[in-house]
Amino acid sequence: MIENYKDYCVLKAFNLTEAECKECVDKNTSEGIKILIDNQYMDYSISIINEASNEITFNKELNRINDLLKSKIYSDSAETLEKVVIKKAKEKALKISCAESLTGGMISSTLVNVPGSSAVFYEGFVTYSSMAKVRRLHVSESAIETYGPVSEQVCSQMVKGLLANKEIQIAVSTTGCAGPDSDEFNTPVGKVFVGIGSQNVVKTIELDLNGDRETIRKTVTNIALYAMINMIENI
């Protein structure tokens, strides 16, 4: 247990490359300092542990890793993605809304697991079918017919459907194919779009993910949460 050590820190970062992880560990030449990295669905925990060194050396390693990873670090106190979303939304008094297809409510459920989330979480829709997207989010039938439900156009319109309610400041949407089989539009398994928007801007993220159904859905949930953090920080 790292809590048994006097000096330790757990940094949380998202979507690190193999090279970044390797540099974190291999460039540590400080005797008595251990660096451990754990990854769950693109969400990384970097533990810097002072096993047998001094505070100055420990802080030197901590600063080195902070400088190396820079903007990819979203917490310096072992907080989860969802906790950071709720905390930052509270700081700016922002309301959050979700429209989920392949994630099936996983993003909404993850957010409301955080105590106090009711202060910022406004609503969540699970619009799994194409007609639910049309009726609940006002996605155009022509967009679905032309591009398919797993598309940048539909994902963007899902976000805009949420933002039509002016009480919402942050909106996120997901649409994709989590497998194990393709859909009626022959969408490849792992093809996903995540939409993120505010009242001023709407963006989409296109993904080609590997893994089983659960892995894809949990990874997309984390990507959506991280996108929300970045959007909130830029408002």
Side-chain angles (χ1 to χ4, degrees), residues 194-211:
V194 174
I196 183 70
S198 68
Q199 291 295 338
N200 296 318
V201 62
V202 173
K203 301 177 181 179
T204 56
I205 304 166
E206 182 176 356
L207 305 162
D208 292 290
L209 301 174
N210 297 315

Side-chain angles (χ1 to χ4, degrees), residues 101-112:
S101 188
L102 86 155
T103 45
M106 192 177 286
I107 300 168
S108 298
S109 177
T110 301
L111 288 170
V112 299

Side-chain angles (χ1 to χ4, degrees), residues 82-83 85-97 111-123 167-170 232:
E82 59 269 24
K83 187 173 181 180
V85 170
I86 298 299
K87 180 180 74 174
K88 288 184 177 293
K90 279 184 177 181
E91 290 171 353
K92 296 188 176 182
L94 303 176
K95 294 294 184 182
I96 296 168
S97 187
L111 288 170
V112 299
N113 278 337
V114 180
S117 58
S118 59
V120 296
F121 187 76
Y122 188 90
E123 63 187 355
E167 294 182 75
I168 304 300
Q169 288 83 41
I170 298 291
I232 291 168

Side-chain angles (χ1 to χ4, degrees), residues 113-173:
N113 278 337
V114 180
S117 58
S118 59
V120 296
F121 187 76
Y122 188 90
E123 63 187 355
F125 292 93
V126 179
T127 52
Y128 206 65
S129 71
S130 291
M131 287 314 298
K133 295 175 178 64
V134 173
R135 292 172 179 167
R136 300 298 184 188
L137 302 171
H138 310 295
V139 174
S140 69
E141 289 187 54
S142 63
I144 293 174
E145 292 169 357
T146 302
Y147 304 106
V150 181
S151 62
E152 177 184 357
Q153 292 80 4
V154 168
C155 186
S156 178
Q157 288 188 25
M158 290 170 71
V159 172
K160 291 174 182 176
L162 294 173
L163 292 171
N165 181 347
K166 300 303 180 184
E167 294 182 75
I168 304 300
Q169 288 83 41
I170 298 291
V172 66
S173 69

